[in-house]
Amino acid sequence: MTTTARPTWTTSVSRPDQPDAVLLLREYMTEMVVRYHRRPAVPGEIDKALAEMPSDDLTQPSGLLLLAHHDAEPAGCAGLRWHSGWAELTRVFVRPAHRGAGGGAALLTAVEQHARAAGAEAIRLDTRADLVEARALYARHGYVEIPAYSHGPYAEHWFEKRLS
């Protein structure tokens, strides 16, 4: 009997300016723009969004960016921004072809490990109402809704997970 090995998930820290990170962050922002406006992105719109909401602070000492690979293929990302006593989760994304295969869980496990190692007592995040899959993912992994801690233009739901 022949069995096929299931693809594995690995995560690693990356700089936001590395080729795989640039690719994944651009795909993340494209999906955010398209879903928010409920239409295809117009020329220049993704570049403008990336400039308005840069990810260059997702590197030490202010944060970190994790990339997820499904076998060898870049498949997702997640970032953390450090705050006093807690970390903010941002840029959580799994490419559509890899969704439903455990990538979101792999990313959350990895960011939680990195946050604990950095001394964070909790992870917080904000998200939009239309990102129902993301909200379900966070709830499945022990994140609970909390009162607003931020006031960004796209923040409609706030979550926290205690790490201790």
Side-chain angles (χ1 to χ4, degrees):
M1 173 176 179
T2 305
T3 58
T4 346
R6 296 185 70 171
T8 59
W9 286 96
T10 57
T11 59
S12 59
V13 176
S14 175
R15 293 189 50 80
D17 60 357
Q18 295 301 302
D20 284 351
V22 170
L23 171 76
L24 290 164
L25 289 167
R26 184 169 196 81
E27 288 182 21
Y28 160 83
M29 193 60 72
T30 299
E31 182 165 333
M32 294 303 99
V33 167
V34 168
R35 286 185 69 161
Y36 183 76
H37 293 293
R38 296 185 179 115
R39 59 159 171 76
V42 298
E45 190 170 24
I46 303 307
D47 292 330
K48 182 179 177 188
L50 287 165
E52 288 174 356
M53 298 175 61
S55 299
D56 55 348
D57 62 338
L58 299 179
T59 185
Q60 294 295 353
S62 56
L64 66 81
L65 178 67
L66 288 174
L67 300 187
H69 286 78
H70 200 205
D71 278 347
E73 186 175 349
C77 60
L80 287 173
R81 290 189 177 105
W82 307 126
H83 296 271
S84 181
W86 60 282
E88 181 178 28
L89 181 60
T90 186
R91 307 293 191 268
V92 177
F93 174 72
V94 175
R95 294 173 107 179
H98 299 281
R99 291 181 185 162
L107 283 164
L108 290 179
T109 297
V111 296
E112 290 167 13
Q113 290 171 346
H114 282 274
R116 277 188 193 95
E121 297 172 7
I123 294 178
R124 293 180 185 163
L125 65 100
D126 62 49
T127 191
R128 298 185 335 220
D130 64 313
L131 300 176
V132 294
E133 305 91 343
R135 292 183 7 240
L137 173 72
Y138 303 136
R140 276 194 314 273
H141 289 273
Y143 291 75
V144 295
E145 287 210 50
I146 60 170
Y149 71 87
S150 65
H151 303 288
Y154 306 107
E156 298 171 312
H157 291 268
W158 297 263
F159 287 84
E160 179 180 77
K161 182 173 183 177
R162 304 297 302 171
L163 297 176
S164 49

